[in-house]
Amino acid sequence: MIKHVLSGVALTAVLALSGLASAAEPVLGLAAIDLQNSFFVRMKEAGDTAAQDYGVKATWQSAEGSLEKQVAIIENFINQKVDAILVDPLDKNALLPVIKKAEAAKIPVITMGNKVEGGWNTSTLYPDRENMSMVARVLGQTLGGEGEVGLLVGTRGNFVSDTREKAFTETLAKEFPNIKLVGIQPTGWDSAKATDAAQTWLTTYPELKAIGCISDSMCLAASAVAQAMDRKLLYAGYDGDEEMHPLLEDGSMVMDVLTGAYRVGYWNIAVAARLAKGEAMPKDLYMPTYFVTSDATAQALAGKGLKFEHITPEAATKAAKAYTEQLGPKLPTSAMTVGQ
């Protein structure tokens, strides 16, 4: 048997070629808010899958909730000359100077889940106006156009929270004038504050019929309070968290919107990989989402004249992890966004 042995020169050449191949792999730098929260852990898991699917390397750094650290991470990525930078902005306005630095270095920047007016950056957003209007519409129809409702929101000044709040309140005011909005409570995305708000409303308003939420964790907290107080409410929310499925199946949650942590992570890395490889995209991208409700609720609403495409909680469980099929590299660029 003949053994083929590489000479030192040949081996050096092979290693050099290997290094060139590695260097040619686009590198993405991601500045996360943190990497301990379960949402971000799931994001990273699917984002790493996207990096593998798209043939890029994703480097994740945690800002640990610090704006100063987030800016420093981005500046370090610029110095490393990565091929694209992703950031989940802690403060959209405070990031404008460092986005300008990335622009000077010709490095694409993706601002995730927040509308940042940087000019250079691409914002990955959600079709919140359409979605949250439908959430309000479904809740209003289920209530028969009458009753008292509370709304739990995130933080004032946050683009996502403000957009969802505006869509919900304007739709109720326009289409269901006999529904009374008893309160809009900012929670800072904190379930404990959502719990306190729900308890106050249930004590103050004995005729409260429903609570809307701009994020599922708030509705989950409110439902726990209502159960403890032996009160039956309706809920409508946003995120598509699997923890909400029992409420959807028993009809107490009439509508949810599936974004999903896994899908968000995969989508953002997919967008960054495409930009790093030179694909042209709009500056504002809107993630494809799904309305989630039970077939029974959808049929009841159709009987009232409100029809919409939906998936069941069971189907949502599968859709939440079918990100490669929904957003993978074999799909056209147009699959990365929906109209808004």
Side-chain angles (χ1 to χ4, degrees):
M1 183 173 66
I2 299 174
K3 293 183 179 179
H4 298 278
V5 180
L6 289 172
S7 69
V9 174
L11 181 59
T12 301
V14 169
L15 291 174
L17 287 172
S18 176
L20 285 172
S22 177
E25 182 181 55
V27 176
L28 314 179
L30 194 145
I33 291 176
D34 76 61
L35 292 175
Q36 301 300 317
N37 180 289
S38 61
F39 185 92
F40 298 118
V41 170
R42 293 171 184 173
M43 253 186 86
K44 183 180 183 302
E45 181 183 333
D48 286 340
T49 300
Q52 186 175 13
D53 289 349
Y54 276 87
V56 299
K57 179 181 178 182
T59 300
W60 299 70
Q61 296 285 330
S62 172
E64 299 175 347
S66 165
L67 175 61
E68 291 76 13
K69 187 169 184 178
Q70 190 169 65
V71 170
I73 288 169
I74 297 170
E75 288 179 335
N76 191 40
F77 285 146
I78 294 170
N79 292 335
Q80 292 173 7
K81 299 180 180 179
V82 299
D83 296 285
I85 296 170
L86 301 96
V87 56
D88 196 349
L90 280 159
D91 185 320
K92 62 181 183 179
N93 294 323
L95 290 182
L96 293 177
V98 75
I99 289 175
K100 289 293 183 185
K101 291 182 181 179
E103 180 179 6
K106 304 299 182 185
I107 299 174
V109 176
I110 296 87
T111 45
M112 303 185 293
N114 208 330
K115 174 70 172 173
V116 179
E117 302 285 359
W120 173 252
N121 59 293
T122 297
S123 295
T124 51
L125 308 168
Y126 312 106
D128 284 328
R129 289 196 302 272
E130 174 188 336
N131 287 350
M132 206 65 189
S133 289
M134 181 59 79
V135 168
R137 193 169 293 119
V138 165
L139 189 59
Q141 285 282 15
T142 306
L143 289 171
E146 297 182 348
E148 295 179 341
V149 175
L151 176 64
L152 296 169
V153 300
T155 304
R156 292 278 162 70
N158 175 275
F159 178 80
V160 168
S161 182
D162 289 349
T163 302
R164 293 178 187 178
E165 175 185 338
K166 184 178 181 182
F168 186 91
T169 56
E170 288 184 350
T171 299
L172 283 188
K174 181 179 179 180
E175 301 180 19
F176 305 99
N178 292 327
I179 288 182
K180 181 181 179 183
L181 194 59
V182 300
I184 303 172
Q185 183 60 50
T187 65
W189 312 93
D190 186 337
S191 295
K193 292 181 180 179
T195 297
D196 291 342
Q199 190 165 22
T200 298
W201 288 340
L202 285 163
T203 303
T204 307
Y205 303 102
E207 298 301 317
L208 186 72
K209 298 297 183 185
I211 292 179
C213 312
I214 62 100
S215 183
D216 278 346
S217 60
M218 302 169 195
C219 270
L220 193 63
S223 71
V225 173
Q227 288 176 16
M229 297 177 68
D230 197 26
R231 291 279 297 276
K232 291 185 178 180
L233 297 179
L234 294 177
Y235 306 93
Y238 207 118
D239 284 340
D241 289 343
E242 196 165 355
E243 292 84 348
M244 310 309 295
H245 290 184
L247 298 178
L248 286 160
E249 289 162 353
D250 70 19
S252 54
M253 188 169 197
V254 295
M255 168 69 79
D256 206 356
V257 179
L258 175 62
T259 52
Y262 293 112
R263 297 179 73 247
V264 169
Y266 190 99
W267 178 55
N268 276 284
I269 293 295
V271 167
R274 288 171 181 263
L275 288 171
K277 293 179 180 182
E279 289 189 33
M281 292 187 184
K283 285 298 182 183
D284 291 341
L285 302 175
Y286 297 93
M287 184 184 190
T289 57
Y290 300 89
F291 293 128
V292 185
T293 193
S294 68
D295 285 337
T297 298
Q299 289 168 7
L301 289 165
K304 297 180 179 181
L306 180 57
K307 297 181 180 180
F308 54 91
E309 292 186 8
H310 77 285
I311 59 175
T312 64
E314 181 181 6
T317 298
K318 297 177 181 178
K321 292 189 177 181
Y323 32 76
T324 298
E325 293 86 346
Q326 300 162 3
L327 302 161
K330 292 182 181 179
L331 297 172
T333 306
S334 59
M336 297 298 106
T337 188
V338 295
Q340 171 72 344

